[in-house]
Amino acid sequence: GQNIDQPTEMTATEGAIVQINCTYQTSGFNGLFWYQQHAGEAPTFLSYNVLDGLEEKGRFSSFLSRSKGYSYLLLKELQMKDSASYLCAVRDPLNRDDKIIFGKGTRLHILP
Amino acid sequence: GAVVSQHPSWVICKSGTSVKIECRSLDFQATTMFWYRQFPKQSLMLMATSNEGSKATYEQGVEKDKFLINHASLTLSTLTVTSAHPEDSSFYICSARDWTGTGGNYGYTFGSGTRLTVV
């Protein structure tokens, strides 16, 4: 089966740093995505990790540990526009379709 | 980069009628299309996967006779919500799989979504 867990909501202050954790238990694994989604809009790609370690991209970094089934998204120098939902998603290679399964998402609230 | 055009952006329909949502891949071939549904404050739930020229594969609990998927060409997939009811009101979004991986986003490109309201 598939199980992807992340906190439902988080609150942080403008200018601060926040880490959003994601744990997964899936039948197969072929990479982990992080997406940002504002209400009523399509998800926006943030990062993709397939090997263990940290990937840094500007204010956003993503970490993966395949042995622990664990990933986190780190957001630095938070801005008000970062208020959004952040979706952790695992790529499942167990069928030829290579589908992406999403976690429930973390709603991040940024306070001034 | 790769773009998926999804229409309509929003639609209001009467209970009992059918609604068709289109997703068209621009400048690339979408051999696989994933259809998701998202209720307010919830995450994207995969409804079905369609491959060009073959029948769609539905996730457990999704009625295939209610949500008709057609993927007749490499650039167009449609989702038809038949005999819509208020509980079908949701945000529907497609994601095209670009097997060449040249479109960016590691081969998965989302449409902009369709807000369906059934009254």
Side-chain angles (χ1 to χ4, degrees):
Chain A
Q2 318 279 14
N3 190 37
I4 302 172
D5 284 323
Q6 49 183 131
T8 304
E9 290 191 74
M10 298 183 71
T11 301
T13 306
E14 190 177 15
I17 299 173
V18 70
Q19 178 174 310
I20 303 174
N21 296 322
C22 172
T23 57
Y24 63 89
Q25 293 173 307
T26 55
S27 304
F29 179 84
N30 199 23
L32 187 145
F33 291 88
W34 283 97
Y35 291 91
Q36 180 191 62
Q37 187 183 28
H38 288 96
E41 298 181 9
T44 302
F45 171 83
L46 292 178
S47 68
Y48 177 62
N49 294 68
V50 64
L51 299 176
D52 290 351
L54 186 67
E55 296 273 348
E56 297 184 80
K57 190 186 298 183
R59 295 190 298 114
F60 293 64
S61 302
S62 57
F63 172 83
L64 175 67
S65 169
R66 289 172 296 171
S67 62
K68 295 181 179 179
Y70 167 70
S71 173
Y72 68 72
L73 178 69
L74 190 71
L75 293 78
K76 303 176 184 176
E77 301 170 16
L78 286 170
Q79 303 174 9
M80 296 303 293
K81 67 178 182 179
D82 297 328
S83 291
S85 287
Y86 291 85
L87 309 177
C88 173
V90 172
R91 185 173 168 186
D92 177 7
L94 282 193
N95 55 54
R96 66 186 183 105
D97 297 323
D98 209 12
K99 57 189 177 184
I100 295 178
I101 305 298
F102 285 84
K104 290 185 173 17
T106 299
R107 286 193 300 281
L108 177 63
H109 306 281
I110 309 297
L111 303 176
Chain B
V3 175
V4 171
S5 175
Q6 183 171 348
H7 292 283
S9 299
W10 60 270
V11 58
I12 302 173
C13 72
K14 290 185 176 180
S15 188
T17 62
S18 296
V19 173
K20 180 184 285 188
I21 301 169
E22 288 190 355
C23 277
R24 194 178 298 273
S25 58
L26 308 179
D27 301 326
F28 73 97
Q29 294 182 336
T31 51
T32 303
M33 190 73 77
F34 303 100
W35 286 94
Y36 293 88
R37 177 169 53 183
Q38 185 175 36
F39 291 107
K41 296 188 176 181
Q42 296 188 25
S43 190
L44 280 74
M45 296 298 296
L46 182 64
M47 298 174 66
T49 303
S50 71
N51 290 289
E52 184 264 336
S54 61
K55 289 183 179 180
T57 302
Y58 290 81
E59 296 296 305
Q60 192 173 6
V62 178
E63 299 175 59
K64 63 179 181 180
D65 294 329
K66 181 171 182 61
F67 299 99
L68 302 179
I69 292 173
N70 184 284
H71 196 161
S73 79
L74 287 171
T75 58
L76 177 64
S77 178
T78 62
L79 167 68
T80 301
V81 183
T82 63
S83 187
H85 291 285
E87 56 264 32
D88 298 323
S89 297
S90 186
F91 187 63
Y92 293 86
I93 190 164
C94 62
S95 174
R97 180 78 172 93
D98 169 17
W99 287 98
T100 67
T102 57
N105 301 328
Y106 292 91
Y108 296 86
T109 303
F110 286 87
S112 54
T114 298
R115 171 73 57 193
L116 170 64
T117 302
V118 185
V119 297

